[in-house]
Amino acid sequence: MLTRCEEVDEEGLSGNEADSEDEGYNDEIADPDNLLLNMTVSRASSRKSRPESSGSRLERFGPGSDHSESDDEIPHKPREHLPEIADFTTVDINDEKAFDTDLEDKETTTAYDPTGRTAYIEGCKKVGVVPASYFLRHMNDPHLSMKHHGLGSQGMRAIAMSLVSNTSVLTLDLSDNWLGHPGGHAVCEMLRDNCFITHLDLSDNKFGLQTAESLSQTLQQNSTLTHVTLSGNDFDDKAAVHFSDAIMNTTKLEYLNLSHNLFGENAGIILGPAIADNSSLKELDLSWNSIRRKGAVAIAQGVKNNVYMKKINLAWNGFGLEGSIAFGDALKGNQVLEELDLTNNRITSEGAVLIGKGVSVNETLTTIRLGRNPMQTAGCYGICAAILRNPNCALKELDFKDILVNKDFDDIFKQVQEQVPDIKMRHGGMEPPKKPRARIHPMVKLTNYIEKNNLRLVDFFNKFDKDGSMSVTYEEFQQGIEDTGIKLTQEEVQILLSELDSDGDGEINFSEMVSGHTGFQESQQENINVILTATQPRPVTT
């Protein structure tokens, strides 16, 4: 290794010059201030201070120079003094970045992952769950379905961490994952920052009352959600208070599904005024709950005063007669609603007729569903009659599912089709034709009359035999039947005459009356014995 002096000699300096150079160098080192500065000067700054070190050989010689010239032929300037040192007195020595040099490693920074995979994997490590491979493969699909994946609350927390900044998912299905309150809270926290998800399905996740409050606040704050499904989450009358606030205050939500929950009469009383004040919901689903009596009336009044809602599903509740009266009145006042579903609501024939009063004046309703109600064919007939009374009726679909109708209904529906050619109707089928009543033998009527008046057969015959000859003609027999007041048709009289006049001489004597009456009673007893024998249990044989 060359010493500093030998290096100077190689550059063409004389010994004296080298000594003077060393003396100046040593003087500077003797100065403590210069020593500190010399220790902090980087090699990069030293290279920049040398004019011959800047630029390439081509730049130093110029485009017209001879590149074959050797290094010995290159003139060197003698170093008369040390390079000028920059002033570092203002630099904070505690700041590591202030002393960065080209010898130090560049600071490594983690690149941003727009896919969210990194955030999800780190979230799984943080909460201690195994990453879901399906989510990793589809986390950037616009329609992401994670239903039936058994995520649980912890798995949902990890997914929520990655969805906070996700810009791809627009429709998210998290139904049937048993998220519980912690998982529901994680979803709500995510929705406060995510501004891309518009359709959200959180069905069957066992949220309960605590999550209802968080969801209500989220629905009021989020400005992108338009369709939310919350069915099957054990929401009861207490939770209805929170959803009432959400329905009244939301400005973007268009579809809300609260079906298959535990809402009862009080929930209906709470939700009714909220429905009346709603200004954004176009479709509401409250089916499969237990809303009835005063709750049903409150819901109907809310529908009557609402001016935005197009569809409402109230199937499988228990509106009954009170709800039918209220909805008949609601249809009179509401001129916005297009679809009404009252399937299986204990609506009788009377209730259907009352609903029909509203149908007879409503001009916007296009679909009404009343299937599986005990309204029978009379209720269906009442709805069709109401349509005929309304020349501006807009109904296009009638649903009487599982309700048997008869020919009378079929006749009136044909009239409805003439008035509204495009209307469609579904019912449970035509009633089976009624079996004709079994004809009663005229001899039974005679026997009943005799027993009722406690008469002997001879006394009964004497009423016909006016002359005491113990024989009566056909005319005398018919006249006697009329006199006794026995209601027999002409056909039945002819049957009696043919059976009693065994010899066919045109007259009926007393002996023929006795034999005919006795023979009929014996035949009736034989029929009774046959029936009893057929209905008796057969003996068990081994």
Side-chain angles (χ1 to χ4, degrees):
M1 176 179 287
L2 298 177
T3 63
R4 179 178 180 81
C5 294
E6 291 173 345
E7 183 180 356
V8 174
D9 289 341
E10 286 186 2
E11 292 177 351
L13 298 177
S14 62
N16 294 332
E17 292 172 339
D19 293 339
S20 62
E21 187 78 21
D22 288 339
E23 289 173 2
Y25 181 79
N26 292 332
D27 291 339
E28 290 177 359
I29 293 177
D31 188 353
D33 296 332
N34 291 335
L35 177 61
L36 177 61
L37 293 175
N38 288 330
M39 292 175 64
T40 60
V41 176
S42 68
R43 293 176 62 184
S45 62
S46 299
R47 286 197 296 269
K48 292 179 181 179
S49 64
R50 300 177 186 176
E52 66 273 18
S53 64
S54 62
S56 64
R57 179 186 292 271
L58 181 61
E59 292 172 347
R60 292 199 301 270
F61 293 139
S65 60
D66 185 7
H67 302 293
S68 63
E69 188 176 5
S70 64
D71 293 338
D72 295 336
E73 296 174 352
I74 299 174
H76 298 276
K77 286 187 178 181
R79 293 180 59 186
E80 298 177 355
H81 54 81
L82 287 174
E84 183 178 357
I85 301 175
D87 184 10
F88 290 99
T89 57
T90 60
V91 178
D92 184 3
I93 63 175
N94 294 321
D95 186 3
E96 296 180 356
K97 296 182 179 180
F99 298 95
D100 187 23
T101 67
D102 60 346
L103 296 179
E104 297 174 354
D105 294 336
K106 297 295 182 182
E107 183 180 358
T108 58
T109 58
T110 304
Y112 172 69
D113 182 9
T115 64
R117 294 172 60 90
T118 303
Y120 176 58
I121 294 174
E122 290 178 355
C124 290
K125 292 179 181 178
K126 183 176 180 180
V127 300
V129 297
V130 178
S133 59
Y134 183 87
F135 180 70
L136 287 171
R137 294 195 305 270
H138 299 277
M139 64 188 306
N140 290 302
D141 294 351
H143 306 285
L144 175 60
S145 176
M146 291 295 295
K147 60 181 178 180
H148 315 311
H149 274 71
L151 297 176
S153 58
Q154 295 298 90
M156 186 64 244
R157 288 180 58 194
I159 289 179
M161 292 178 187
S162 64
L163 290 178
V164 167
S165 57
N166 186 289
T167 60
S168 302
V169 177
L170 304 179
T171 302
L172 179 61
D173 188 349
L174 295 169
S175 58
D176 190 25
N177 278 286
W178 208 280
L179 302 182
H181 173 61
H185 182 72
V187 173
C188 293
E189 290 293 328
M190 177 269 294
L191 291 174
R192 291 177 183 174
D193 296 322
N194 185 291
C195 56
F196 292 91
I197 297 176
T198 59
H199 292 62
L200 178 65
D201 191 341
L202 294 173
S203 304
D204 304 314
N205 277 295
K206 306 298 179 183
F207 285 146
L209 178 60
Q210 288 181 311
T211 311
E213 183 176 2
S214 301
L215 287 169
S216 175
Q217 295 175 356
T218 301
L219 294 178
Q220 296 177 57
Q221 296 172 1
N222 188 284
S223 60
T224 56
L225 283 173
T226 58
H227 293 68
V228 176
T229 302
L230 297 171
S231 64
N233 280 298
D234 298 335
F235 296 136
D236 55 12
D237 291 353
K238 295 180 180 179
V241 177
H242 303 296
F243 289 113
S244 174
D245 295 337
I247 292 173
M248 283 193 294
N249 298 320
T250 182
T251 57
K252 297 293 184 180
L253 197 62
E254 297 179 2
Y255 170 85
L256 179 61
N257 188 335
L258 293 171
S259 63
H260 292 83
N261 281 294
L262 306 175
F263 294 138
E265 181 177 3
N266 291 333
I269 296 173
I270 295 170
L271 294 174
I275 294 173
D277 293 338
N278 164 69
S279 60
S280 66
L281 275 179
K282 295 180 180 178
E283 185 172 356
L284 178 62
D285 191 342
L286 289 172
S287 61
W288 290 89
N289 283 284
S290 300
I291 303 173
R292 56 197 64 182
R293 294 185 291 273
K294 294 181 180 179
V297 174
I299 294 291
Q301 291 176 347
V303 172
K304 178 180 180 180
N305 297 318
N306 185 283
V307 295
Y308 290 93
M309 194 171 298
K310 302 291 185 180
K311 303 178 183 179
I312 186 165
N313 187 350
L314 298 166
W316 295 86
N317 279 280
F319 279 34
L321 184 59
E322 295 180 20
S324 301
I325 296 172
F327 260 100
D329 182 62
L331 292 177
K332 293 178 182 178
N334 184 293
Q335 297 299 327
V336 178
L337 192 67
E338 296 178 357
E339 293 188 17
L340 173 62
D341 193 339
L342 292 173
T343 303
N344 197 24
N345 266 284
R346 305 178 184 176
I347 298 174
T348 61
S349 301
E350 182 183 359
V353 172
L354 293 171
I355 293 175
K357 291 183 178 180
V359 173
S360 64
V361 297
N362 187 280
E363 299 180 1
T364 60
L365 194 67
T366 60
T367 301
I368 184 168
R369 297 183 175 91
L370 295 168
R372 295 184 176 179
N373 281 297
M375 49 194 284
Q376 302 178 346
T377 187
C380 302
Y381 189 98
I383 297 295
C384 290
I387 296 174
L388 293 177
R389 294 195 300 270
N390 186 357
N392 297 321
C393 182
L395 276 171
K396 301 296 181 183
E397 181 180 351
L398 292 174
D399 189 346
F400 301 134
K401 184 179 180 181
D402 294 340
I403 300 177
L404 294 176
V405 296
N406 57 18
K407 189 177 182 302
D408 293 337
F409 170 81
D410 192 44
D411 294 339
I412 195 172
F413 182 70
K414 290 179 180 178
Q415 300 178 32
V416 172
Q417 287 180 314
E418 294 177 0
Q419 179 173 320
V420 188
D422 297 334
I423 195 168
K424 297 179 180 179
M425 185 269 298
R426 180 172 63 169
H427 56 71
M430 298 295 292
E431 292 180 354
K434 294 182 180 180
K435 295 181 179 180
R437 297 179 61 181
R439 297 179 63 178
I440 300 176
H441 197 281
M443 186 62 75
V444 175
K445 297 182 178 180
L446 291 181
T447 303
N448 291 338
Y449 176 82
I450 293 171
E451 293 178 353
K452 183 178 179 180
N453 293 278
N454 196 20
L455 297 175
R456 295 178 302 171
L457 187 59
V458 65
D459 297 331
F460 176 73
F461 187 80
N462 289 333
K463 291 179 177 291
F464 300 82
D465 186 15
K466 303 295 184 180
D467 57 3
S469 62
M470 300 302 289
S471 177
V472 294
T473 62
Y474 286 0
E475 291 78 8
E476 291 176 334
F477 187 84
Q478 290 180 339
Q479 185 63 41
I481 291 293
E482 294 177 2
D483 294 342
T484 56
I486 301 174
K487 295 181 179 180
L488 293 177
T489 63
Q490 188 66 31
E491 181 181 1
E492 290 175 331
V493 171
Q494 293 299 324
I495 293 174
L496 282 176
L497 292 174
S498 62
E499 289 186 1
L500 294 177
D501 187 12
S502 58
D503 56 5
D505 61 354
E507 292 184 358
I508 301 172
N509 55 44
F510 179 71
S511 61
E512 289 176 331
M513 172 68 78
V514 172
S515 61
H517 182 264
T518 305
F520 177 78
Q521 287 184 326
E522 290 177 353
S523 64
Q524 290 292 100
Q525 186 63 40
E526 289 178 1
N527 293 335
I528 294 174
N529 292 336
V530 170
I531 294 173
L532 292 176
T533 303
T535 56
Q536 288 179 354
R538 299 178 63 183
V540 178
T541 59
T542 59

